[in-house]
Amino acid sequence: MQHPDEGTIHAWLDGELSADESAALEAHAAECSECAARIAEARGLVAASTRILTALDDIPAGVIPAATIPSIGIARRRWYDRTDIRAAAALLFVAAASLVVVKSRNSSAPLARTETASLKSTAAVSADASGAESKLAEPPQMQSAAAPAATAPATSPQTAALKAASHAPTPPSSTRDRRQDKPALEKDAAKLGIAAAPVSVLRDAASNAASNAASGTVAGVIVGAAAGVAGGRSAAKTSASANEVVVTGVTEATDAVSTAPLRQVRVDTRSGSRRTVYQLPTGVEVTLLEAPPAIDEKLFGGIQPQQRRAAETPQRLEAAPAPPPPVAAATAVAPMNTIAWTEGGRKFTLSGRLSTTELEALKKRLMQIRR
Amino acid sequence: MSDVDRLFRTYNAALVRYLTRRLGDRDWAEEVAQETFLRALRQESLTNERAWLFAVATNLVRDEARKASRQRRHLALLAEEERESIVEPEETTLERAQEAALARKAIDELAERDRLALLMREEGLDYSEIAEALELSPGSVGTTLSRARRRLVEAYEALQKEREQREKNAAS
């Protein structure tokens, strides 16, 4: 099924599609951020209509809630979930890790050159948020630069690659299997004693190349949960000492999200709504849906159609009880998430294959762009 | 007579609610519902009862509405507004009356077919029943409903905003 039309979406929500048709729609929505957003909007319309029509019944005293309770559907974030606090925490991790790295480096006896490289790279990471982004380009370049030699003098190719990477336009990298990354990453992180921030999306553009090129060097900047940023998983695998791995938190990723160039793919305006699809350098698409003023407070997730009650249950939008269609979690492909908010009386939803934290970071950026 | 009893028990509430929402007048709604059941009596048998009842009720509304639509609507609106202006001791009641008035205006902005389809859907009729009652193609019901819902919500929100603006102006 390609891009179901509005009628089909509503028919699905009303439980009127056949099992096959439903499956096709759900499968499509798992792949298409735009349609995921449209489905979320349609759900809101269905719920709001029911609510409005209920007001027409002259039921006496206290049955109908006078106003939608504002807290329903609005994410109540724990204080430490705030993006800026996470950013600070992650930076602290990086700083701490850098210290550990430096210290352990001094104690072991690595090549002097690689030390410099490692310090440079970690410094680059902690200092420059967009270093996460440059890691994106790094693996491909590192691959060509240093693939053959396992013990290539890591400094030059690496720092050269790093330099090149920072200048190179970040190419959209395709999705790679990130399953390998995660266990290694967490294992290394554990050795470091640093908790790896949850990695929701990690794409490794060239883990082999990266590990080859970086053997003996640090530059183990793992961009955790980068918004589709290829994991510059340089030293994770082959580096002799695990404490060379620096694990950055989610916020590096969200920093990447905040600074990666966004490309506007298409805009669609119909009956007052505005639907914009953006593409991140990594190829991930997100859809920003802007609806006419306050369609419904209760934009909710939930898999099944005709779950009107589902609106009451999800406590936090961020918890992403499920993106509209059912998606297998913890697979190589990131699940589709949707966040929703109100600003200036207008309803927005943002969907895409990113973690909800990344979506939140993107949201800030997109809202600024819009102004 | 047990058959009409059964019909009545099963469908009257939904029919009256449907009609009340459509007409904005409960008394009138109950009259039409009654007439609908009387007509059902005259039928030998009904294959698709619910669709048939809603179709007949709808047609009755259409016919009568044509006769007196503008006057009735005007009077209904006046009644609503008067209700609005009464200061109720209980805040809930006032608010609900306001919401009802807004909803009334909003739903009146819909095209008749869209409005009816949506109201039927709210009473639990499935797409085939709605198609039958309104003489629509089953494939078009989804589109009709999607359009109806969107327009209803947009109209409602616009009216809400208008009111908020009025209240703001009044306060200042």
Side-chain angles (χ1 to χ4, degrees), chain A residues 16-58:
Chain A
E16 294 277 339
L17 291 189
S18 72
D20 286 342
E21 291 169 326
S22 293
L25 185 145
E26 288 161 19
H28 173 85
E31 301 290 315
C32 175
S33 68
E34 208 174 339
C35 287
R38 289 166 67 213
I39 289 174
E41 187 201 15
R43 274 213 179 85
L45 291 177
V46 171
S49 306
T50 302
R51 196 162 45 89
I52 292 168
L53 292 176
T54 311
L56 290 173
D57 305 331
D58 249 342

Short mmCIF file of all heavy atoms in Angstrom, two decimals, chain A residues 16-58:
data_model
loop_
_atom_site.label_atom_id
_atom_site.label_comp_id
_atom_site.label_asym_id
_atom_site.label_seq_id
_atom_site.Cartn_x
_atom_site.Cartn_y
_atom_site.Cartn_z
N GLU A 16 -12.74 -0.88 9.72
CA GLU A 16 -13.50 -1.31 8.55
C GLU A 16 -12.65 -1.94 7.46
O GLU A 16 -13.17 -2.39 6.45
CB GLU A 16 -14.25 -0.10 7.95
CG GLU A 16 -15.32 0.44 8.86
CD GLU A 16 -16.62 -0.34 8.75
OE1 GLU A 16 -16.83 -1.01 7.73
OE2 GLU A 16 -17.42 -0.29 9.71
N LEU A 17 -11.36 -1.97 7.66
CA LEU A 17 -10.51 -2.57 6.63
C LEU A 17 -10.41 -4.07 6.87
O LEU A 17 -10.50 -4.53 8.01
CB LEU A 17 -9.11 -1.95 6.64
CG LEU A 17 -8.98 -0.51 6.18
CD1 LEU A 17 -7.51 -0.14 6.04
CD2 LEU A 17 -9.69 -0.27 4.85
N SER A 18 -10.20 -4.79 5.79
CA SER A 18 -10.00 -6.23 5.94
C SER A 18 -8.67 -6.47 6.63
O SER A 18 -7.85 -5.56 6.75
CB SER A 18 -10.00 -6.90 4.57
OG SER A 18 -8.80 -6.58 3.90
N ALA A 19 -8.48 -7.71 7.05
CA ALA A 19 -7.23 -8.04 7.75
C ALA A 19 -6.02 -7.76 6.85
O ALA A 19 -5.01 -7.20 7.31
CB ALA A 19 -7.25 -9.50 8.17
N ASP A 20 -6.16 -8.10 5.59
CA ASP A 20 -5.04 -7.87 4.66
C ASP A 20 -4.78 -6.38 4.48
O ASP A 20 -3.64 -5.93 4.52
CB ASP A 20 -5.35 -8.48 3.29
CG ASP A 20 -5.22 -10.00 3.34
OD1 ASP A 20 -4.59 -10.50 4.29
OD2 ASP A 20 -5.74 -10.67 2.43
N GLU A 21 -5.86 -5.65 4.26
CA GLU A 21 -5.70 -4.21 4.05
C GLU A 21 -5.09 -3.56 5.29
O GLU A 21 -4.24 -2.68 5.20
CB GLU A 21 -7.06 -3.57 3.75
CG GLU A 21 -7.64 -3.98 2.40
CD GLU A 21 -9.09 -3.54 2.25
OE1 GLU A 21 -9.83 -3.53 3.26
OE2 GLU A 21 -9.50 -3.23 1.13
N SER A 22 -5.55 -3.99 6.45
CA SER A 22 -5.01 -3.42 7.69
C SER A 22 -3.53 -3.69 7.80
O SER A 22 -2.74 -2.80 8.13
CB SER A 22 -5.71 -4.04 8.90
OG SER A 22 -7.05 -3.66 8.94
N ALA A 23 -3.17 -4.93 7.52
CA ALA A 23 -1.76 -5.29 7.63
C ALA A 23 -0.92 -4.44 6.68
O ALA A 23 0.16 -3.97 7.05
CB ALA A 23 -1.58 -6.78 7.34
N ALA A 24 -1.44 -4.26 5.49
CA ALA A 24 -0.69 -3.47 4.50
C ALA A 24 -0.52 -2.04 4.98
O ALA A 24 0.56 -1.45 4.90
CB ALA A 24 -1.42 -3.50 3.16
N LEU A 25 -1.58 -1.48 5.52
CA LEU A 25 -1.49 -0.11 6.00
C LEU A 25 -0.52 0.01 7.16
O LEU A 25 0.31 0.93 7.22
CB LEU A 25 -2.88 0.38 6.41
CG LEU A 25 -2.98 1.85 6.84
CD1 LEU A 25 -4.31 2.44 6.40
CD2 LEU A 25 -2.81 2.04 8.33
N GLU A 26 -0.62 -0.92 8.07
CA GLU A 26 0.27 -0.86 9.23
C GLU A 26 1.72 -1.03 8.82
O GLU A 26 2.62 -0.35 9.33
CB GLU A 26 -0.12 -1.93 10.25
CG GLU A 26 -1.42 -1.58 10.96
CD GLU A 26 -2.06 -2.81 11.60
OE1 GLU A 26 -1.34 -3.80 11.80
OE2 GLU A 26 -3.27 -2.75 11.89
N ALA A 27 1.94 -1.92 7.87
CA ALA A 27 3.31 -2.11 7.40
C ALA A 27 3.83 -0.83 6.75
O ALA A 27 4.98 -0.42 6.98
CB ALA A 27 3.36 -3.27 6.39
N HIS A 28 3.00 -0.21 5.98
CA HIS A 28 3.43 1.03 5.33
C HIS A 28 3.72 2.10 6.36
O HIS A 28 4.71 2.82 6.27
CB HIS A 28 2.36 1.49 4.36
CG HIS A 28 2.67 2.84 3.77
ND1 HIS A 28 3.48 3.01 2.68
CD2 HIS A 28 2.31 4.09 4.16
CE1 HIS A 28 3.58 4.30 2.41
NE2 HIS A 28 2.89 4.98 3.29
N ALA A 29 2.86 2.22 7.33
CA ALA A 29 3.03 3.28 8.33
C ALA A 29 4.31 3.08 9.14
O ALA A 29 4.88 4.04 9.66
CB ALA A 29 1.81 3.33 9.25
N ALA A 30 4.74 1.84 9.24
CA ALA A 30 5.98 1.58 9.95
C ALA A 30 7.17 2.12 9.18
O ALA A 30 8.24 2.34 9.74
CB ALA A 30 6.14 0.08 10.20
N GLU A 31 6.98 2.31 7.91
CA GLU A 31 8.08 2.75 7.06
C GLU A 31 8.02 4.23 6.73
O GLU A 31 9.00 4.81 6.28
CB GLU A 31 8.03 1.99 5.72
CG GLU A 31 8.13 0.49 5.86
CD GLU A 31 9.52 0.09 6.29
OE1 GLU A 31 10.49 0.62 5.73
OE2 GLU A 31 9.63 -0.74 7.20
N CYS A 32 6.88 4.80 6.89
CA CYS A 32 6.67 6.13 6.33
C CYS A 32 6.30 7.11 7.43
O CYS A 32 5.23 7.02 8.02
CB CYS A 32 5.55 6.06 5.29
SG CYS A 32 5.09 7.66 4.63
N SER A 33 7.21 8.02 7.69
CA SER A 33 6.98 8.95 8.79
C SER A 33 5.82 9.88 8.49
O SER A 33 5.08 10.29 9.38
CB SER A 33 8.24 9.77 9.06
OG SER A 33 8.51 10.64 7.98
N GLU A 34 5.67 10.19 7.22
CA GLU A 34 4.59 11.09 6.85
C GLU A 34 3.24 10.46 7.17
O GLU A 34 2.37 11.08 7.77
CB GLU A 34 4.69 11.36 5.35
CG GLU A 34 4.13 12.68 4.94
CD GLU A 34 4.39 12.95 3.47
OE1 GLU A 34 5.31 12.32 2.91
OE2 GLU A 34 3.67 13.78 2.91
N CYS A 35 3.08 9.24 6.78
CA CYS A 35 1.81 8.58 7.03
C CYS A 35 1.61 8.31 8.52
O CYS A 35 0.49 8.35 9.01
CB CYS A 35 1.70 7.28 6.22
SG CYS A 35 1.46 7.62 4.45
N ALA A 36 2.68 8.03 9.20
CA ALA A 36 2.55 7.86 10.65
C ALA A 36 2.00 9.14 11.26
O ALA A 36 1.15 9.10 12.16
CB ALA A 36 3.91 7.52 11.26
N ALA A 37 2.47 10.26 10.78
CA ALA A 37 1.98 11.53 11.30
C ALA A 37 0.52 11.73 10.93
O ALA A 37 -0.29 12.21 11.74
CB ALA A 37 2.82 12.68 10.75
N ARG A 38 0.17 11.36 9.72
CA ARG A 38 -1.21 11.53 9.30
C ARG A 38 -2.14 10.64 10.12
O ARG A 38 -3.26 11.03 10.45
CB ARG A 38 -1.34 11.20 7.82
CG ARG A 38 -0.69 12.25 6.92
CD ARG A 38 -0.54 11.76 5.51
NE ARG A 38 -1.81 11.58 4.86
CZ ARG A 38 -2.07 10.65 3.95
NH1 ARG A 38 -1.11 9.81 3.59
NH2 ARG A 38 -3.24 10.55 3.41
N ILE A 39 -1.67 9.47 10.43
CA ILE A 39 -2.49 8.58 11.25
C ILE A 39 -2.68 9.17 12.64
O ILE A 39 -3.78 9.14 13.19
CB ILE A 39 -1.87 7.18 11.33
CG1 ILE A 39 -2.01 6.48 9.97
CG2 ILE A 39 -2.52 6.36 12.43
CD1 ILE A 39 -1.30 5.15 9.89
N ALA A 40 -1.61 9.71 13.18
CA ALA A 40 -1.74 10.32 14.51
C ALA A 40 -2.74 11.47 14.46
O ALA A 40 -3.56 11.63 15.36
CB ALA A 40 -0.37 10.82 14.99
N GLU A 41 -2.68 12.24 13.41
CA GLU A 41 -3.62 13.35 13.28
C GLU A 41 -5.05 12.83 13.17
O GLU A 41 -5.97 13.35 13.80
CB GLU A 41 -3.27 14.17 12.04
CG GLU A 41 -4.10 15.43 11.95
CD GLU A 41 -4.15 15.98 10.53
OE1 GLU A 41 -3.78 15.25 9.60
OE2 GLU A 41 -4.56 17.13 10.38
N ALA A 42 -5.23 11.80 12.36
CA ALA A 42 -6.58 11.26 12.16
C ALA A 42 -7.16 10.76 13.47
O ALA A 42 -8.33 10.98 13.78
CB ALA A 42 -6.56 10.15 11.11
N ARG A 43 -6.32 10.11 14.24
CA ARG A 43 -6.78 9.65 15.56
C ARG A 43 -7.30 10.82 16.38
O ARG A 43 -8.32 10.72 17.06
CB ARG A 43 -5.62 9.03 16.32
CG ARG A 43 -5.40 7.59 16.03
CD ARG A 43 -4.87 6.89 17.26
NE ARG A 43 -4.68 5.49 16.96
CZ ARG A 43 -3.60 4.99 16.40
NH1 ARG A 43 -2.60 5.79 16.08
NH2 ARG A 43 -3.49 3.72 16.13
N GLY A 44 -6.54 11.91 16.31
CA GLY A 44 -6.97 13.09 17.06
C GLY A 44 -8.31 13.60 16.58
O GLY A 44 -9.17 13.99 17.38
N LEU A 45 -8.50 13.58 15.27
CA LEU A 45 -9.76 14.06 14.72
C LEU A 45 -10.92 13.17 15.15
O LEU A 45 -12.01 13.66 15.48
CB LEU A 45 -9.69 14.11 13.20
CG LEU A 45 -8.78 15.16 12.59
CD1 LEU A 45 -8.75 15.02 11.07
CD2 LEU A 45 -9.25 16.55 12.97
N VAL A 46 -10.70 11.88 15.12
CA VAL A 46 -11.76 10.96 15.52
C VAL A 46 -12.17 11.23 16.97
O VAL A 46 -13.35 11.34 17.30
CB VAL A 46 -11.30 9.50 15.35
CG1 VAL A 46 -12.30 8.55 15.97
CG2 VAL A 46 -11.11 9.16 13.89
N ALA A 47 -11.18 11.34 17.82
CA ALA A 47 -11.47 11.55 19.24
C ALA A 47 -12.14 12.90 19.47
O ALA A 47 -13.10 13.01 20.24
CB ALA A 47 -10.18 11.46 20.06
N ALA A 48 -11.63 13.92 18.80
CA ALA A 48 -12.19 15.25 19.00
C ALA A 48 -13.64 15.31 18.51
O ALA A 48 -14.50 15.93 19.14
CB ALA A 48 -11.34 16.29 18.28
N SER A 49 -13.89 14.68 17.39
CA SER A 49 -15.27 14.68 16.87
C SER A 49 -16.23 14.06 17.87
O SER A 49 -17.30 14.60 18.14
CB SER A 49 -15.37 13.88 15.57
OG SER A 49 -14.44 14.33 14.64
N THR A 50 -15.82 12.93 18.39
CA THR A 50 -16.69 12.26 19.37
C THR A 50 -16.95 13.17 20.55
O THR A 50 -18.07 13.30 21.03
CB THR A 50 -16.06 10.95 19.84
OG1 THR A 50 -15.82 10.13 18.72
CG2 THR A 50 -16.96 10.24 20.82
N ARG A 51 -15.90 13.80 20.99
CA ARG A 51 -16.03 14.69 22.14
C ARG A 51 -16.99 15.83 21.84
O ARG A 51 -17.88 16.16 22.62
CB ARG A 51 -14.64 15.23 22.50
CG ARG A 51 -14.56 15.85 23.86
CD ARG A 51 -13.11 15.96 24.31
NE ARG A 51 -12.21 16.48 23.28
CZ ARG A 51 -11.94 17.76 23.08
NH1 ARG A 51 -12.53 18.65 23.83
NH2 ARG A 51 -11.10 18.13 22.13
N ILE A 52 -16.82 16.43 20.69
CA ILE A 52 -17.67 17.56 20.32
C ILE A 52 -19.12 17.13 20.22
O ILE A 52 -20.04 17.80 20.71
CB ILE A 52 -17.18 18.18 18.99
CG1 ILE A 52 -15.83 18.84 19.18
CG2 ILE A 52 -18.20 19.17 18.46
CD1 ILE A 52 -15.14 19.21 17.88
N LEU A 53 -19.33 15.99 19.59
CA LEU A 53 -20.71 15.55 19.39
C LEU A 53 -21.37 15.17 20.71
O LEU A 53 -22.58 15.31 20.87
CB LEU A 53 -20.75 14.37 18.42
CG LEU A 53 -20.36 14.75 16.99
CD1 LEU A 53 -20.32 13.53 16.10
CD2 LEU A 53 -21.35 15.77 16.44
N THR A 54 -20.57 14.69 21.63
CA THR A 54 -21.13 14.35 22.93
C THR A 54 -21.68 15.59 23.61
O THR A 54 -22.64 15.50 24.39
CB THR A 54 -20.05 13.71 23.82
OG1 THR A 54 -19.40 12.68 23.08
CG2 THR A 54 -20.65 13.11 25.07
N ALA A 55 -21.08 16.73 23.30
CA ALA A 55 -21.57 17.96 23.91
C ALA A 55 -22.99 18.30 23.47
O ALA A 55 -23.67 19.09 24.13
CB ALA A 55 -20.64 19.12 23.55
N LEU A 56 -23.41 17.68 22.39
CA LEU A 56 -24.75 17.98 21.89
C LEU A 56 -25.85 17.27 22.67
O LEU A 56 -27.03 17.56 22.51
CB LEU A 56 -24.86 17.56 20.42
CG LEU A 56 -24.07 18.42 19.44
CD1 LEU A 56 -24.13 17.81 18.05
CD2 LEU A 56 -24.63 19.82 19.40
N ASP A 57 -25.43 16.30 23.45
CA ASP A 57 -26.45 15.59 24.23
C ASP A 57 -26.71 16.37 25.50
O ASP A 57 -25.81 16.70 26.23
CB ASP A 57 -25.96 14.18 24.59
CG ASP A 57 -25.56 13.40 23.36
OD1 ASP A 57 -26.13 13.67 22.29
OD2 ASP A 57 -24.67 12.54 23.47
N ASP A 58 -27.96 16.58 25.76
CA ASP A 58 -28.26 17.40 26.94
C ASP A 58 -28.27 16.56 28.20
O ASP A 58 -29.29 16.39 28.85
CB ASP A 58 -29.63 18.05 26.77
CG ASP A 58 -29.46 19.55 26.59
OD1 ASP A 58 -28.39 20.06 26.94
OD2 ASP A 58 -30.40 20.16 26.11
#
